[in-house]
Amino acid sequence: MVRYPLSLATPLCVYYTTIQSSLDVLRQWKTMAVSLSALTTSLSSLSFSAHISRNPITLSFPRTKPLSLSRFPKTPSLVITATALAEPETEDLKKYVKSRLPGGFAAQTIIGTGRRKCAIARVVLQEGTGKFIINYRDAKEYLQGNPLWLQYIKVPLVTLGYETSYDVFVKAEGGGLAGQAQAISLGIARALLKVSEVHRAPLRQEGLLTRDSRVVERKKVGLKKARKAPQYSKR
């Protein structure tokens, strides 16, 4: 067995590798040549024609009539009219009260005084049709139309069925409107006792003769309000 040295086998391997790479390159060139020939054939089959017109292209649209708003129907304008109800003025009511109460409130016989919180109401009852006049103003106007306050002043008369039998004249001072309304209620109930002692039982049963002594509790030193304390902080 003859052994060749490594130096003789090495050039053959290198030559074989070179031949293989050259064959690969030739195959790629052949493929590219076929692609170029196919592209040339397809381009030759096409024909291009270029024609530039010197005349500019103009677009024309038919003219339309201008839009007029007269085609649309006009909406009717909203007109708001406010009519104020004719109410007697304060001066007229003063004259009316003085004519009905000669000598003032103190000279009348059917009179009652009611209190609630800081409000004081002096009430005079006279036979009439159920009018309520507070400080020379209509009760609905004076109490700002509040249904709860208007109900307060009517409860004693409604309890006895006298809502259209007496006219009520009131002088109220102090407190707010809510306190004055409840004071008027107590004053009317006390005045009805002077009409007849028979009225005491039904009025007492409804709790209309009890003076409500609840008032706002005073603020305390070191507190925000009567009982509200500042937020507690441990540290």
Side-chain angles (χ1 to χ4, degrees):
M1 182 177 181
V2 181
R3 294 184 177 180
Y4 294 97
L6 185 62
S7 60
L8 295 177
T10 301
L12 293 174
C13 296
V14 172
Y15 182 73
Y16 178 76
T17 304
T18 305
I19 292 174
Q20 288 292 335
S21 61
S22 300
L23 290 175
D24 292 339
V25 171
L26 288 175
R27 290 192 190 96
Q28 293 177 2
W29 284 0
K30 184 177 179 181
T31 305
M32 292 176 63
V34 172
S35 301
L36 287 174
S37 63
L39 181 62
T40 305
T41 304
S42 61
L43 289 175
S44 63
S45 63
L46 299 174
S47 61
F48 298 94
S49 62
H51 176 71
I52 301 174
S53 176
R54 295 182 179 180
N55 299 326
I57 300 174
T58 59
L59 298 176
S60 61
F61 298 95
R63 292 184 178 180
T64 58
K65 293 181 180 181
L67 182 63
S68 62
L69 297 177
S70 61
R71 293 182 179 180
F72 300 99
K74 294 183 178 180
T75 57
S77 58
L78 181 63
V79 179
I80 300 175
T81 58
T83 57
L85 296 176
E87 295 182 357
E89 298 180 357
T90 307
E91 295 296 330
D92 297 338
L93 279 177
K94 281 185 178 180
K95 293 179 181 179
Y96 174 73
V97 172
K98 288 180 180 179
S99 64
R100 292 289 302 272
L101 304 177
F105 279 74
Q108 309 305 313
T109 55
I110 307 176
I111 187 171
T113 303
R115 294 179 178 85
R116 176 72 173 98
K117 296 182 182 178
C118 297
I120 301 174
R122 294 174 177 85
V123 181
V124 172
L125 299 182
Q126 281 196 355
E127 293 184 0
T129 58
K131 292 181 181 178
F132 275 86
I133 298 177
I134 306 173
N135 290 348
Y136 306 108
R137 293 167 62 185
D138 183 69
K140 189 173 183 179
E141 177 192 353
Y142 185 82
L143 297 177
Q144 302 176 357
N146 190 302
L148 182 61
W149 299 340
L150 291 171
Q151 182 183 359
Y152 282 154
I153 64 177
K154 294 179 180 178
V155 168
L157 294 175
V158 172
T159 302
L160 300 176
Y162 291 157
E163 57 267 22
T164 58
S165 302
Y166 287 95
D167 290 339
V168 182
F169 302 93
V170 182
K171 265 190 179 180
E173 58 185 5
L177 294 179
Q180 289 183 4
Q182 296 178 46
I184 292 170
S185 176
L186 179 59
I188 294 174
R190 289 179 174 177
L192 287 171
L193 291 181
K194 294 185 178 181
V195 175
S196 175
E197 280 292 327
V198 181
H199 300 155
R200 183 178 296 273
L203 292 174
R204 178 68 68 185
Q205 187 177 0
E206 295 295 330
L208 298 174
L209 295 176
T210 304
R211 201 302 200 185
D212 193 349
S213 61
R214 295 176 299 171
V215 294
V216 177
E217 190 175 343
R218 67 171 292 270
K219 182 186 178 301
K220 310 300 188 305
V221 178
L223 301 182
K224 290 182 175 292
K225 294 168 62 177
R227 301 189 182 187
K228 181 180 179 181
Q231 183 176 2
Y232 172 73
S233 178
K234 191 170 185 179
R235 292 178 182 87

